[in-house]
Amino acid sequence: MVEKKFDVIEHLDELRKRLIISALAFLVFLIIGFMYVKNIYLFLMGNLDYKLLILGPSDIMWIYFHIASLVAIAGTIPVTAWQIWLFVRPALKSHERKAVLAYIPGVFILFICGLAFGYYFIFPNILNFLINLGSDLMTTSFTADKYFSFLINITLPFGIAFELPLVMMFLTTLGIVNPYTIAKLRKYAYFILVIIASMISPPEFISHISVAVPLILIFEISIFLSKFVYKQKQWI
């Protein structure tokens, strides 16, 4: 009984250590984000040929903080993945350690790919559609607050969604997830993804479809890759 109590305490101490390291990494990348925030801001302005409006001095800090936070999230993801691997490593078998370790670079790459997909494909299409919708009736002018809120709400979910295939493969490798069971719940997953798409996209049908379809495709790819890992495990 005493040994079990010590084991629990050791695991909690180890978990706290991993969380602290991840938090420190976030702070470091947040500072780096603030250092380059103006360059990132100009990049995210895209093809807009005019300066964005602000309605108050605090809006500037709000925008800078959110841009720096996005950089911090991207930079912290591989660090956090590494810390998770170190935490679960003692409970893994030798072949499982190698398999899980191989996922870590992919976590960062897929997150960046998701952001890029949202920024270069989904965001401009939805933005142009909404601008053209009222171009003959209204003059278009954005506040920085609204523009970047819209941009982050569109791109960040795709950065997270692109992690789903690796998460499914990781959980399948550990034996936590059975892809064939998940596949049977497909219709419920579709319903949830459509709801998520409606929550993160503007309130009109075209935007909902533009976001929902890629999310559903990512889900299907996740199941396919998870089944591949599951079958590989059966041969080991």
Side-chain angles (χ1 to χ4, degrees), residues 125-175:
N125 289 327
I126 294 178
L127 183 64
N128 290 333
F129 172 78
L130 294 177
I131 290 175
N132 293 330
L133 196 62
S135 59
D136 56 339
L137 300 174
M138 292 162 279
T139 299
T140 302
S141 182
F142 300 119
T143 65
D145 183 0
K146 296 292 185 181
Y147 179 83
F148 281 100
S149 293
F150 179 70
L151 173 62
I152 292 173
N153 288 339
I154 291 294
T155 56
L156 186 58
F158 278 102
I160 297 172
F162 268 53
E163 303 284 7
L164 184 59
L166 275 184
V167 171
M168 287 279 288
M169 293 170 69
F170 172 72
L171 296 177
T172 304
T173 299
L174 298 182

Short mmCIF file of all heavy atoms in Angstrom, two decimals, residues 125-175:
data_model
loop_
_atom_site.label_atom_id
_atom_site.label_comp_id
_atom_site.label_asym_id
_atom_site.label_seq_id
_atom_site.Cartn_x
_atom_site.Cartn_y
_atom_site.Cartn_z
N ASN A 125 -10.99 32.30 -49.39
CA ASN A 125 -12.23 31.99 -50.12
C ASN A 125 -13.46 32.50 -49.39
O ASN A 125 -14.36 33.10 -49.99
CB ASN A 125 -12.35 30.48 -50.36
CG ASN A 125 -11.34 29.97 -51.37
OD1 ASN A 125 -10.99 30.70 -52.31
ND2 ASN A 125 -10.86 28.76 -51.21
N ILE A 126 -13.49 32.27 -48.09
CA ILE A 126 -14.63 32.75 -47.31
C ILE A 126 -14.63 34.28 -47.26
O ILE A 126 -15.68 34.92 -47.40
CB ILE A 126 -14.58 32.16 -45.88
CG1 ILE A 126 -14.79 30.65 -45.93
CG2 ILE A 126 -15.65 32.80 -45.00
CD1 ILE A 126 -14.71 29.98 -44.58
N LEU A 127 -13.44 34.87 -47.06
CA LEU A 127 -13.35 36.33 -46.97
C LEU A 127 -13.80 37.00 -48.27
O LEU A 127 -14.59 37.95 -48.25
CB LEU A 127 -11.91 36.74 -46.64
CG LEU A 127 -11.65 38.23 -46.45
CD1 LEU A 127 -12.43 38.76 -45.25
CD2 LEU A 127 -10.16 38.52 -46.29
N ASN A 128 -13.31 36.48 -49.39
CA ASN A 128 -13.68 37.07 -50.68
C ASN A 128 -15.17 36.90 -50.96
O ASN A 128 -15.81 37.81 -51.51
CB ASN A 128 -12.87 36.42 -51.81
CG ASN A 128 -11.40 36.81 -51.76
OD1 ASN A 128 -11.05 37.89 -51.27
ND2 ASN A 128 -10.54 35.95 -52.26
N PHE A 129 -15.71 35.76 -50.57
CA PHE A 129 -17.15 35.54 -50.78
C PHE A 129 -17.97 36.55 -49.99
O PHE A 129 -18.92 37.14 -50.51
CB PHE A 129 -17.51 34.11 -50.36
CG PHE A 129 -18.99 33.84 -50.35
CD1 PHE A 129 -19.67 33.61 -51.53
CD2 PHE A 129 -19.70 33.85 -49.15
CE1 PHE A 129 -21.04 33.37 -51.51
CE2 PHE A 129 -21.06 33.63 -49.13
CZ PHE A 129 -21.75 33.38 -50.32
N LEU A 130 -17.59 36.76 -48.73
CA LEU A 130 -18.34 37.68 -47.88
C LEU A 130 -18.19 39.13 -48.35
O LEU A 130 -19.14 39.91 -48.29
CB LEU A 130 -17.87 37.54 -46.43
CG LEU A 130 -18.18 36.20 -45.76
CD1 LEU A 130 -17.59 36.14 -44.36
CD2 LEU A 130 -19.68 35.94 -45.72
N ILE A 131 -16.99 39.49 -48.82
CA ILE A 131 -16.76 40.86 -49.31
C ILE A 131 -17.58 41.11 -50.58
O ILE A 131 -18.25 42.14 -50.71
CB ILE A 131 -15.26 41.10 -49.57
CG1 ILE A 131 -14.48 41.15 -48.25
CG2 ILE A 131 -15.06 42.40 -50.34
CD1 ILE A 131 -12.98 41.27 -48.43
N ASN A 132 -17.53 40.15 -51.50
CA ASN A 132 -18.26 40.31 -52.77
C ASN A 132 -19.77 40.28 -52.58
O ASN A 132 -20.52 40.80 -53.41
CB ASN A 132 -17.84 39.21 -53.74
CG ASN A 132 -16.39 39.34 -54.17
OD1 ASN A 132 -15.85 40.44 -54.22
ND2 ASN A 132 -15.75 38.22 -54.47
N LEU A 133 -20.20 39.67 -51.47
CA LEU A 133 -21.62 39.55 -51.21
C LEU A 133 -22.30 40.91 -51.09
O LEU A 133 -23.44 41.10 -51.51
CB LEU A 133 -21.84 38.74 -49.92
CG LEU A 133 -23.24 38.18 -49.65
CD1 LEU A 133 -23.64 37.20 -50.74
CD2 LEU A 133 -23.29 37.50 -48.29
N GLY A 134 -21.57 41.88 -50.53
CA GLY A 134 -22.17 43.20 -50.37
C GLY A 134 -21.35 44.31 -50.99
O GLY A 134 -21.49 45.47 -50.60
N SER A 135 -20.52 43.98 -51.96
CA SER A 135 -19.60 44.97 -52.54
C SER A 135 -20.34 46.08 -53.28
O SER A 135 -19.85 47.22 -53.35
CB SER A 135 -18.62 44.29 -53.49
OG SER A 135 -19.33 43.61 -54.54
N ASP A 136 -21.51 45.79 -53.84
CA ASP A 136 -22.24 46.81 -54.58
C ASP A 136 -23.15 47.65 -53.69
O ASP A 136 -23.78 48.60 -54.15
CB ASP A 136 -23.08 46.15 -55.69
CG ASP A 136 -24.02 45.09 -55.14
OD1 ASP A 136 -23.76 44.59 -54.02
OD2 ASP A 136 -25.01 44.76 -55.82
N LEU A 137 -23.19 47.31 -52.40
CA LEU A 137 -24.06 48.04 -51.48
C LEU A 137 -23.29 48.78 -50.39
O LEU A 137 -23.77 49.80 -49.88
CB LEU A 137 -25.05 47.07 -50.81
CG LEU A 137 -25.99 46.29 -51.74
CD1 LEU A 137 -26.78 45.27 -50.93
CD2 LEU A 137 -26.91 47.25 -52.47
N MET A 138 -22.13 48.26 -50.02
CA MET A 138 -21.40 48.80 -48.88
C MET A 138 -19.92 48.96 -49.18
O MET A 138 -19.38 48.27 -50.04
CB MET A 138 -21.55 47.85 -47.67
CG MET A 138 -22.96 47.80 -47.09
SD MET A 138 -23.20 46.34 -46.05
CE MET A 138 -23.52 45.08 -47.29
N THR A 139 -19.30 49.88 -48.46
CA THR A 139 -17.86 50.06 -48.54
C THR A 139 -17.19 49.15 -47.49
O THR A 139 -17.57 49.19 -46.32
CB THR A 139 -17.46 51.52 -48.26
OG1 THR A 139 -18.07 52.35 -49.25
CG2 THR A 139 -15.94 51.69 -48.32
N THR A 140 -16.25 48.36 -47.95
CA THR A 140 -15.62 47.41 -47.05
C THR A 140 -14.47 48.05 -46.29
O THR A 140 -13.56 48.64 -46.88
CB THR A 140 -15.07 46.19 -47.83
OG1 THR A 140 -16.14 45.58 -48.55
CG2 THR A 140 -14.44 45.18 -46.88
N SER A 141 -14.51 47.94 -44.97
CA SER A 141 -13.44 48.43 -44.12
C SER A 141 -13.46 47.61 -42.83
O SER A 141 -14.51 47.48 -42.20
CB SER A 141 -13.62 49.92 -43.81
OG SER A 141 -12.54 50.40 -43.03
N PHE A 142 -12.31 47.03 -42.46
CA PHE A 142 -12.26 46.14 -41.31
C PHE A 142 -11.54 46.81 -40.14
O PHE A 142 -10.57 47.55 -40.33
CB PHE A 142 -11.51 44.85 -41.65
CG PHE A 142 -12.14 44.06 -42.77
CD1 PHE A 142 -11.42 43.81 -43.93
CD2 PHE A 142 -13.42 43.58 -42.65
CE1 PHE A 142 -11.98 43.09 -44.96
CE2 PHE A 142 -13.99 42.86 -43.68
CZ PHE A 142 -13.28 42.61 -44.84
N THR A 143 -12.01 46.50 -38.95
CA THR A 143 -11.22 46.82 -37.77
C THR A 143 -10.22 45.69 -37.58
O THR A 143 -10.47 44.54 -37.96
CB THR A 143 -12.09 46.95 -36.51
OG1 THR A 143 -12.68 45.68 -36.21
CG2 THR A 143 -13.19 47.98 -36.70
N ALA A 144 -9.09 46.01 -36.99
CA ALA A 144 -8.06 45.00 -36.75
C ALA A 144 -8.59 43.90 -35.84
O ALA A 144 -8.29 42.71 -36.03
CB ALA A 144 -6.82 45.65 -36.14
N ASP A 145 -9.39 44.28 -34.86
CA ASP A 145 -9.98 43.33 -33.93
C ASP A 145 -10.81 42.29 -34.67
O ASP A 145 -10.62 41.07 -34.51
CB ASP A 145 -10.84 44.09 -32.91
CG ASP A 145 -11.43 43.17 -31.85
OD1 ASP A 145 -11.18 41.97 -31.89
OD2 ASP A 145 -12.14 43.69 -30.97
N LYS A 146 -11.75 42.74 -35.50
CA LYS A 146 -12.64 41.83 -36.22
C LYS A 146 -11.87 40.98 -37.24
O LYS A 146 -12.14 39.79 -37.40
CB LYS A 146 -13.72 42.63 -36.94
CG LYS A 146 -14.67 43.38 -36.02
CD LYS A 146 -15.54 42.41 -35.23
CE LYS A 146 -16.59 43.17 -34.40
NZ LYS A 146 -17.42 42.24 -33.61
N TYR A 147 -10.92 41.61 -37.93
CA TYR A 147 -10.18 40.90 -38.96
C TYR A 147 -9.38 39.73 -38.37
O TYR A 147 -9.45 38.60 -38.86
CB TYR A 147 -9.25 41.86 -39.70
CG TYR A 147 -8.40 41.21 -40.77
CD1 TYR A 147 -8.91 41.00 -42.05
CD2 TYR A 147 -7.09 40.81 -40.51
CE1 TYR A 147 -8.14 40.40 -43.04
CE2 TYR A 147 -6.31 40.21 -41.50
CZ TYR A 147 -6.84 40.01 -42.76
OH TYR A 147 -6.08 39.41 -43.73
N PHE A 148 -8.63 40.00 -37.32
CA PHE A 148 -7.78 38.95 -36.75
C PHE A 148 -8.58 37.92 -35.94
O PHE A 148 -8.18 36.76 -35.87
CB PHE A 148 -6.66 39.56 -35.91
CG PHE A 148 -5.54 40.10 -36.73
CD1 PHE A 148 -5.44 41.45 -37.00
CD2 PHE A 148 -4.57 39.26 -37.27
CE1 PHE A 148 -4.41 41.95 -37.78
CE2 PHE A 148 -3.54 39.74 -38.06
CZ PHE A 148 -3.47 41.09 -38.32
N SER A 149 -9.69 38.35 -35.36
CA SER A 149 -10.57 37.37 -34.71
C SER A 149 -11.11 36.39 -35.75
O SER A 149 -11.14 35.18 -35.52
CB SER A 149 -11.73 38.09 -34.01
OG SER A 149 -11.28 38.85 -32.93
N PHE A 150 -11.52 36.93 -36.88
CA PHE A 150 -12.03 36.09 -37.97
C PHE A 150 -10.93 35.17 -38.50
O PHE A 150 -11.15 33.97 -38.71
CB PHE A 150 -12.56 36.99 -39.09
CG PHE A 150 -13.09 36.26 -40.28
CD1 PHE A 150 -14.27 35.55 -40.21
CD2 PHE A 150 -12.41 36.28 -41.48
CE1 PHE A 150 -14.77 34.87 -41.32
CE2 PHE A 150 -12.88 35.61 -42.59
CZ PHE A 150 -14.07 34.90 -42.50
N LEU A 151 -9.73 35.72 -38.69
CA LEU A 151 -8.61 34.95 -39.20
C LEU A 151 -8.24 33.80 -38.26
O LEU A 151 -8.09 32.64 -38.70
CB LEU A 151 -7.40 35.86 -39.40
CG LEU A 151 -6.07 35.19 -39.78
CD1 LEU A 151 -6.19 34.49 -41.12
CD2 LEU A 151 -4.95 36.23 -39.82
N ILE A 152 -8.12 34.08 -36.98
CA ILE A 152 -7.73 33.06 -36.00
C ILE A 152 -8.82 32.00 -35.86
O ILE A 152 -8.53 30.80 -35.76
CB ILE A 152 -7.41 33.71 -34.64
CG1 ILE A 152 -6.14 34.54 -34.76
CG2 ILE A 152 -7.24 32.65 -33.55
CD1 ILE A 152 -5.82 35.38 -33.53
N ASN A 153 -10.09 32.44 -35.86
CA ASN A 153 -11.19 31.48 -35.73
C ASN A 153 -11.27 30.52 -36.91
O ASN A 153 -11.77 29.40 -36.76
CB ASN A 153 -12.52 32.23 -35.60
CG ASN A 153 -12.69 32.90 -34.25
OD1 ASN A 153 -12.03 32.52 -33.29
ND2 ASN A 153 -13.54 33.90 -34.18
N ILE A 154 -10.77 30.94 -38.05
CA ILE A 154 -10.79 30.07 -39.23
C ILE A 154 -9.56 29.17 -39.28
O ILE A 154 -9.66 27.97 -39.54
CB ILE A 154 -10.88 30.91 -40.53
CG1 ILE A 154 -12.25 31.59 -40.63
CG2 ILE A 154 -10.63 30.03 -41.76
CD1 ILE A 154 -13.41 30.64 -40.80
N THR A 155 -8.38 29.74 -39.03
CA THR A 155 -7.14 28.98 -39.24
C THR A 155 -6.75 28.07 -38.08
O THR A 155 -6.32 26.94 -38.29
CB THR A 155 -5.97 29.94 -39.52
OG1 THR A 155 -5.85 30.87 -38.43
CG2 THR A 155 -6.21 30.72 -40.80
N LEU A 156 -6.89 28.56 -36.84
CA LEU A 156 -6.45 27.76 -35.69
C LEU A 156 -7.16 26.42 -35.56
O LEU A 156 -6.51 25.40 -35.29
CB LEU A 156 -6.61 28.58 -34.40
CG LEU A 156 -6.05 27.93 -33.13
CD1 LEU A 156 -4.56 27.62 -33.27
CD2 LEU A 156 -6.27 28.84 -31.91
N PRO A 157 -8.49 26.35 -35.76
CA PRO A 157 -9.14 25.03 -35.70
C PRO A 157 -8.58 24.03 -36.70
O PRO A 157 -8.53 22.83 -36.41
CB PRO A 157 -10.61 25.36 -36.01
CG PRO A 157 -10.78 26.76 -35.54
CD PRO A 157 -9.48 27.43 -35.89
N PHE A 158 -8.13 24.52 -37.86
CA PHE A 158 -7.55 23.59 -38.84
C PHE A 158 -6.17 23.12 -38.39
O PHE A 158 -5.78 21.97 -38.65
CB PHE A 158 -7.48 24.24 -40.22
CG PHE A 158 -8.76 24.18 -40.97
CD1 PHE A 158 -9.58 25.30 -41.05
CD2 PHE A 158 -9.18 23.01 -41.57
CE1 PHE A 158 -10.80 25.24 -41.71
CE2 PHE A 158 -10.39 22.94 -42.26
CZ PHE A 158 -11.20 24.07 -42.32
N GLY A 159 -5.43 23.99 -37.72
CA GLY A 159 -4.16 23.56 -37.16
C GLY A 159 -4.36 22.44 -36.16
O GLY A 159 -3.60 21.46 -36.13
N ILE A 160 -5.40 22.56 -35.33
CA ILE A 160 -5.71 21.51 -34.35
C ILE A 160 -6.28 20.28 -35.03
O ILE A 160 -5.92 19.14 -34.70
CB ILE A 160 -6.71 22.07 -33.31
CG1 ILE A 160 -6.07 23.23 -32.54
CG2 ILE A 160 -7.15 20.97 -32.34
CD1 ILE A 160 -7.02 23.97 -31.63
N ALA A 161 -7.17 20.49 -36.01
CA ALA A 161 -7.81 19.36 -36.69
C ALA A 161 -6.81 18.49 -37.43
O ALA A 161 -6.96 17.26 -37.50
CB ALA A 161 -8.88 19.88 -37.66
N PHE A 162 -5.77 19.10 -37.99
CA PHE A 162 -4.77 18.35 -38.72
C PHE A 162 -3.97 17.42 -37.80
O PHE A 162 -3.26 16.53 -38.29
CB PHE A 162 -3.82 19.30 -39.46
CG PHE A 162 -4.24 19.60 -40.88
CD1 PHE A 162 -5.51 20.07 -41.15
CD2 PHE A 162 -3.37 19.41 -41.93
CE1 PHE A 162 -5.91 20.35 -42.44
CE2 PHE A 162 -3.75 19.69 -43.24
CZ PHE A 162 -5.03 20.15 -43.49
N GLU A 163 -4.08 17.62 -36.48
CA GLU A 163 -3.40 16.73 -35.53
C GLU A 163 -4.16 15.43 -35.33
O GLU A 163 -3.61 14.46 -34.80
CB GLU A 163 -3.26 17.43 -34.17
CG GLU A 163 -2.54 18.75 -34.19
CD GLU A 163 -1.04 18.61 -34.32
OE1 GLU A 163 -0.57 17.47 -34.53
OE2 GLU A 163 -0.33 19.63 -34.21
N LEU A 164 -5.43 15.41 -35.73
CA LEU A 164 -6.28 14.25 -35.45
C LEU A 164 -5.72 12.93 -35.98
O LEU A 164 -5.77 11.91 -35.25
CB LEU A 164 -7.69 14.50 -36.00
CG LEU A 164 -8.73 13.42 -35.70
CD1 LEU A 164 -8.89 13.23 -34.19
CD2 LEU A 164 -10.08 13.77 -36.34
N PRO A 165 -5.20 12.88 -37.22
CA PRO A 165 -4.65 11.60 -37.68
C PRO A 165 -3.54 11.07 -36.78
O PRO A 165 -3.51 9.88 -36.46
CB PRO A 165 -4.11 11.95 -39.08
CG PRO A 165 -4.92 13.10 -39.52
CD PRO A 165 -5.19 13.90 -38.30
N LEU A 166 -2.62 11.94 -36.35
CA LEU A 166 -1.53 11.48 -35.48
C LEU A 166 -2.05 11.08 -34.10
O LEU A 166 -1.56 10.12 -33.51
CB LEU A 166 -0.47 12.58 -35.33
CG LEU A 166 0.60 12.65 -36.42
CD1 LEU A 166 1.62 13.72 -36.09
CD2 LEU A 166 1.29 11.32 -36.59
N VAL A 167 -3.02 11.82 -33.59
CA VAL A 167 -3.60 11.48 -32.29
C VAL A 167 -4.26 10.11 -32.35
O VAL A 167 -4.08 9.27 -31.45
CB VAL A 167 -4.63 12.55 -31.85
CG1 VAL A 167 -5.38 12.10 -30.60
CG2 VAL A 167 -3.93 13.87 -31.57
N MET A 168 -5.00 9.86 -33.42
CA MET A 168 -5.66 8.55 -33.58
C MET A 168 -4.62 7.44 -33.70
O MET A 168 -4.77 6.37 -33.09
CB MET A 168 -6.54 8.59 -34.83
CG MET A 168 -7.81 9.40 -34.67
SD MET A 168 -9.12 8.50 -33.82
CE MET A 168 -9.59 7.33 -35.10
N MET A 169 -3.56 7.69 -34.47
CA MET A 169 -2.51 6.68 -34.63
C MET A 169 -1.79 6.43 -33.30
O MET A 169 -1.48 5.29 -32.95
CB MET A 169 -1.52 7.13 -35.70
CG MET A 169 -2.10 7.19 -37.10
SD MET A 169 -1.00 8.00 -38.30
CE MET A 169 0.33 6.81 -38.40
N PHE A 170 -1.54 7.52 -32.56
CA PHE A 170 -0.88 7.41 -31.27
C PHE A 170 -1.71 6.58 -30.29
O PHE A 170 -1.20 5.66 -29.64
CB PHE A 170 -0.65 8.82 -30.72
CG PHE A 170 -0.14 8.86 -29.31
CD1 PHE A 170 1.16 8.49 -29.01
CD2 PHE A 170 -0.96 9.26 -28.26
CE1 PHE A 170 1.65 8.53 -27.71
CE2 PHE A 170 -0.49 9.31 -26.96
CZ PHE A 170 0.81 8.94 -26.68
N LEU A 171 -3.01 6.90 -30.20
CA LEU A 171 -3.89 6.16 -29.29
C LEU A 171 -4.09 4.71 -29.73
O LEU A 171 -4.23 3.82 -28.89
CB LEU A 171 -5.24 6.87 -29.18
CG LEU A 171 -5.21 8.28 -28.57
CD1 LEU A 171 -6.60 8.91 -28.58
CD2 LEU A 171 -4.66 8.23 -27.15
N THR A 172 -4.05 4.49 -31.03
CA THR A 172 -4.15 3.12 -31.54
C THR A 172 -2.90 2.33 -31.20
O THR A 172 -2.96 1.14 -30.84
CB THR A 172 -4.38 3.12 -33.06
OG1 THR A 172 -5.54 3.88 -33.37
CG2 THR A 172 -4.56 1.71 -33.59
N THR A 173 -1.74 2.98 -31.32
CA THR A 173 -0.47 2.34 -30.96
C THR A 173 -0.46 1.90 -29.50
O THR A 173 0.04 0.83 -29.16
CB THR A 173 0.71 3.30 -31.22
OG1 THR A 173 0.74 3.64 -32.61
CG2 THR A 173 2.04 2.64 -30.85
N LEU A 174 -1.05 2.73 -28.63
CA LEU A 174 -1.09 2.42 -27.20
C LEU A 174 -2.21 1.44 -26.86
O LEU A 174 -2.32 1.00 -25.71
CB LEU A 174 -1.28 3.70 -26.38
CG LEU A 174 -0.17 4.74 -26.49
CD1 LEU A 174 -0.48 5.93 -25.58
CD2 LEU A 174 1.19 4.15 -26.13
N GLY A 175 -3.05 1.11 -27.85
CA GLY A 175 -4.15 0.18 -27.60
C GLY A 175 -5.35 0.82 -26.94
O GLY A 175 -6.25 0.12 -26.47
#
